[in-house]
């Protein structure tokens, strides 16, 4: 068995997310597995670094899969890209160590959330930007971000109410950058709960709108209750930027 | 009457082109006129610098319109962008000289055509790139471009067979740039016939694929016959970059 690692980019707009859902569902994983099956004549299971929700995009999604027959990485790259729709692309593919597993070996991830702040939309990137057309108090948002850094129980920032596993995660970095007509929030951590990045962003935006203060963050965290945090920001503004191993 | 000049960007994918077609048709001009009518309570006619075909995009489309009542440019900008769909944006709006007319005063235009040459698509820009995944002989294409520069009768590069007006135009510049995974063709001229840029690009691509030689260009030009030139390249790769006054 040969093990392969690949880097996948996608515009998630049209898809029901990364992860295959039974036999139905228009998913990125499903599209890729179908093509690898066509190529090899066998079912090939793809392991992604993690799910991305419906409508979320990827610049850095990483996955691995095993083939019974050894094939050249470039040969697979050519074949797969020939059959993929135009909103999914495999950027890189290479042989990996037998033990490499894209999800289990992931050490950290970075997500980017983009907010359109100008009255005019960015017409060429509007599929990847949550456009609000308003301005935010970025200094207050940065102050709030400080409270989120480090290791906490992020249960209040998780949409899955029946989460049985640990909801403790570590956030290493939150960068809030103001660009021309755009606010960009990059969040790096060791892993993220269901909807966690979008709830973090939704809460930070409410702070930027003066609907909340930065000081509410410790209170929200310690409450361990989803209802204390802000709204879940829309999927379209979110992109998985990088997976670290 | 106040005269206003505006700069409009759009992702043309969803539209039947710039120009309003009777009462039907999902056009950029139609969307803008509807919003100006809502704003003023009167019919406002918008004059674009020229048509763009269905599926063609704009970074630099310019238009003018007149209002009976003087309004602040910024006020119109805010109002219009509030009601425009996310794939159309007014980037700038300012009062113009009474005599300014976006079509009649246009001195030149630049169009950009983008071709995807990598096996993997550019998933975030695929709506604006004609993806072929092949490589081209760019030196031969540049040689062909030399033959197109200057003032010629471009009848062979016009899809409108019943064109009664002059088909003589001047091309000032053709830049063919190779980027990572992309071939970019910028064409500047005093004006362009129906489908002219797309037929020029289609012909250049056939030369880049060695299906034709650069020396065929003078023959195609002098034949004054659309059938001599290459295929019309798809609309999606084309963007109106700039209109000069």
């Amino acid at each position: 068995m040969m093990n392969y690692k690949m880097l996948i980019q996608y515009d998630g707009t049209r898809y029901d997310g990364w992860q295959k859902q039974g036999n139905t569902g228009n998913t990125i994983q499903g599209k890729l597995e179908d093509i690898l099956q066509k190529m090899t004549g066998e079912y090939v299971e793809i392991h992604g670094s993690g799910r991305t929700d419906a409508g979320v995009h990827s610049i850095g999604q990483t996955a691995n899969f095993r083939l019974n027959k050894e094939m050249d990485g470039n040969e697979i790259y050519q074949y797969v890209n020939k059959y993929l729709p135009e909103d999914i692309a495999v950027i890189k593919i290479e042989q990996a160590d037998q033990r490499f597993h894209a999800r289990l070996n992931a050490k950290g991830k970075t997500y980017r959330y983009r907010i359109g702040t100008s009255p005019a939309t960015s017409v060429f990137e509007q599929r990847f930007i949550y456009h609000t057309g308003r301005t935010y108090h970025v200094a207050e948002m940065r102050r709030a971000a400080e409270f989120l850094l480090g290791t906490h129980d992020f249960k209040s920032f998780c949409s899955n109410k029946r989460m049985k596993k640990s909801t403790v995660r570590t956030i290493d970095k939150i960068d809030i950058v103001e660009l021309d007509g755009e606010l960009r929030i990059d969040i790096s951590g060791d892993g993220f709960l269901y909807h966690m990045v979008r709830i973090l962003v939704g809460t930070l935006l409410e702070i930027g709108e003066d609907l909340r203060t930065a000081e509410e963050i410790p209170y929200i965290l310690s409450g361990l209750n989803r209802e204390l945090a802000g709204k879940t920001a829309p999927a379209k503004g979110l992109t998985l930027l990088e997976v670290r191993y």
Side-chain angles (χ1 to χ4, degrees), chain A:
Chain A
M1 293 278 275
M2 289 303 309
N3 193 11
Y4 295 88
K5 178 184 179 183
M6 66 178 166
L7 178 70
I8 307 127
Q9 297 190 343
Y10 44 87
D11 168 352
T13 310
R14 289 200 302 138
Y15 297 96
D16 302 328
W18 164 265
Q19 182 151 307
K20 214 174 44 176
Q21 296 159 350
N23 284 320
T24 58
N26 179 36
T27 65
I28 325 285
Q29 183 190 5
K31 292 278 172 205
L32 284 162
E33 287 186 354
D34 287 349
I35 294 169
L36 290 178
Q37 176 150 17
K38 188 201 291 241
M39 184 182 79
T40 60
E42 297 166 14
Y43 170 65
V44 178
E45 186 178 5
I46 296 176
H47 304 278
S49 72
R51 309 174 183 195
T52 54
D53 299 336
V56 170
H57 319 288
S58 157
I59 287 178
Q61 175 66 295
T62 305
N64 76 292
F65 60 89
R66 293 184 165 80
L67 296 185
N68 285 315
K69 197 184 115 207
E70 182 169 353
M71 279 182 75
D72 178 59
N74 187 48
E75 199 183 338
I76 307 173
Y77 167 83
Q78 299 278 347
Y79 186 94
V80 171
N81 280 311
K82 193 170 153 188
Y83 290 104
L84 279 172
E86 290 204 46
D87 46 11
I88 307 176
V90 169
I91 298 304
K92 211 166 114 180
I93 188 156
E94 59 194 10
Q95 291 195 4
D97 188 277
Q98 257 328 316
R99 289 160 302 180
F100 174 75
H101 189 287
R103 179 167 53 82
L104 301 175
N105 296 148
K107 286 206 168 59
K109 285 180 190 168
T110 301
Y111 280 93
R112 170 165 293 171
Y113 200 96
R114 301 172 66 185
I115 300 112
T117 56
S118 162
T121 60
S122 301
V123 296
F124 305 107
E125 300 192 283
Q126 49 93 4
R127 289 157 80 92
F128 319 113
I129 295 175
Y130 168 45
H131 183 261
T132 66
R134 63 160 77 223
T135 50
Y136 296 89
H137 290 126
V138 175
E140 188 69 5
M141 293 172 70
R142 291 200 179 111
R143 238 163 47 77
E146 290 290 325
F147 288 112
L148 291 162
L149 295 182
T151 304
H152 304 280
D153 188 332
F154 284 97
K155 196 170 182 196
S156 295
F157 295 90
C158 176
S159 284
N160 182 354
K161 285 182 187 164
R162 293 175 192 167
M163 179 78 176
K164 286 175 184 162
K165 296 178 196 163
S166 166
T167 45
V168 174
R169 296 289 184 278
T170 302
I171 295 184
D172 306 309
K173 204 173 175 188
I174 301 180
D175 280 330
I176 306 179
V177 181
E178 285 184 281
L179 303 168
D180 186 25
E182 185 180 333
L183 192 62
R184 190 174 278 191
I185 306 178
D186 289 354
I187 305 184
S188 298
D190 63 348
F192 294 92
L193 304 164
Y194 185 54
H195 283 178
M196 176 169 157
V197 180
R198 291 164 57 190
I199 302 170
L200 288 169
V201 168
T203 308
L204 287 171
L205 290 179
E206 290 173 17
I207 291 165
E209 288 177 45
D210 292 336
L211 299 172
R212 295 167 179 268
T213 65
E215 277 69 22
E216 290 185 45
I217 296 287
Y219 169 77
I220 297 169
L221 281 168
S222 63
L224 303 176
N225 179 352
R226 167 68 187 93
E227 283 167 31
L228 297 174
K231 291 204 188 88
T232 305
K236 71 177 294 195
L238 186 62
T239 301
L240 172 56
L241 215 56
E242 190 196 10
V243 185
R244 285 177 298 281
Y245 291 97

